């Protein structure tokens, strides 16, 4: 067992060549031929993702603004915090502000960066930037074409019960709820 919080061996892989095997409007899929730490060779397949934001909108000290949205991969309606893709060259705070208003019809007077995380390090490059939005005020929702969303107000206590009951299954939303439950509004340096 190693206790210095650093690997004791070289775990780096060297990319020998990289091939884009799928080029979609949103995602690209790559297949890399790599040299492994022991000198052998292997392949790695992964999704190149432009990055995303998630907003935790606080209606007041106790209630969040969340949304119901149908998610095709699961053929199910999910309960989530507002979130969306970062456009090329876009600042993540601007993305968060845009997504909150587009999806919920609210703006926030105060914004705090909380953290950034990689939801699935084994096969996607996605980074999700998490912002806390407070002092909300109503404007007009303007969802993307083909995007259908219904908002709901939910207390922290009820949201945590929904996590326990399996009603909230979205990983980023669960992380946001747990972050606030255990760390409060503590923020990390922006990467």
């Amino acid at each position: 067992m190693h206790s210095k919080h650093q690997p004791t061996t070289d775990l780096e892989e060297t990319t020998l060549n990289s091939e884009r095997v799928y080029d979609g409007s949103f995602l690209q899929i790559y297949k890399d031929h790599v040299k492994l730490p022991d000198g052998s060779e292997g392949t790695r397949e992964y999704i190149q993702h432009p990055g995303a934001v998630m907003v935790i909108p606080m209606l007041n000290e106790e209630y969040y603004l969340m949304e119901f949205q149908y998610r095709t991969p699961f053929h199910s309606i999910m309960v989530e915090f507002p979130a969306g893709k970062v456009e090329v060259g876009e600042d993540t705070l601007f993305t968060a502000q845009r997504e909150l208003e587009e999806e919920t019809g609210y703006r926030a007077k105060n914004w705090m960066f909380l953290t950034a995380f990689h939801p699935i390090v084994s096969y996607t490059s996605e980074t999700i930037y998490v912002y806390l939005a407070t002092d909300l005020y109503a404007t007009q929702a303007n969802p993307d074409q083909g995007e259908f969303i219904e908002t709901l107000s939910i207390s922290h206590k009820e949201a945590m019960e929904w996590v326990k009951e399996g009603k909230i299954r979205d990983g980023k939303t669960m992380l946001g709820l747990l972050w606030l439950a255990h760390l409060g509004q503590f923020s990390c340096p922006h990467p």
Side-chain angles (χ1 to χ4, degrees), residues 67-69 102-104 143 147-151:
E67 54 192 39
F68 294 110
Q69 188 171 10
E102 282 180 4
E103 293 187 0
T104 70
E147 187 174 48
F148 301 93
I149 295 168
E150 183 179 318
T151 60

Side-chain angles (χ1 to χ4, degrees), residues 18-191:
S18 183
E19 175 188 6
R20 188 172 2 192
V21 295
Y22 174 78
D23 193 11
S25 60
F26 176 47
L27 303 171
Q28 293 80 44
I29 300 176
Y30 287 83
K31 183 175 185 177
D32 289 3
H33 185 142
V34 299
K35 183 176 180 180
L36 302 172
D38 67 359
S40 64
E41 295 182 5
T43 58
R44 301 289 187 246
E45 298 173 350
Y46 60 95
I47 299 168
Q48 191 68 41
H49 190 286
V53 299
M54 180 181 76
V55 180
I56 301 175
M58 300 289 299
L59 290 166
N60 56 42
E61 291 293 319
E62 186 180 349
Y63 283 85
Y64 302 114
L65 181 64
M66 297 181 84
E67 54 192 39
F68 294 110
Q69 188 171 10
Y70 185 83
R71 294 300 192 179
T72 301
F74 300 97
H75 305 289
S76 180
I77 296 170
M78 296 287 180
V79 181
E80 306 173 47
F81 282 125
K85 176 179 71 117
V86 177
E87 299 296 337
V88 175
E90 190 173 58
D91 178 74
T92 58
L93 175 58
F94 178 83
T95 305
Q97 293 167 335
R98 175 177 49 78
E99 289 295 331
L100 178 63
E101 186 169 22
E102 282 180 4
E103 293 187 0
T104 70
Y106 280 86
R107 287 185 182 173
K109 291 180 184 174
N110 297 307
W111 290 87
M112 179 188 290
F113 173 76
L114 295 180
T115 192
F117 69 97
H118 309 296
I120 308 169
V121 296
S122 56
Y123 64 84
T124 179
S125 67
E126 182 177 18
T127 299
I128 298 178
Y129 301 88
V130 182
Y131 287 89
L132 180 68
T134 58
D135 293 325
L136 303 184
Y137 60 97
T139 61
Q140 178 67 43
N142 185 24
D144 292 335
Q145 184 176 358
E147 187 174 48
F148 301 93
I149 295 168
E150 183 179 318
T151 60
L152 69 145
S153 169
I154 186 168
S155 71
H156 181 78
K157 182 179 179 182
E158 186 175 17
M160 294 303 286
E161 285 298 319
W162 282 20
V163 170
K164 290 178 191 174
E165 295 168 5
K167 292 179 182 177
I168 294 178
R169 300 185 314 271
D170 174 57
K172 67 186 182 308
T173 299
M174 294 167 74
L175 181 128
L177 289 167
L178 293 171
W179 180 275
L180 291 179
H182 296 285
L183 296 175
Q185 295 181 8
F186 173 76
S187 66
C188 290
H190 198 292

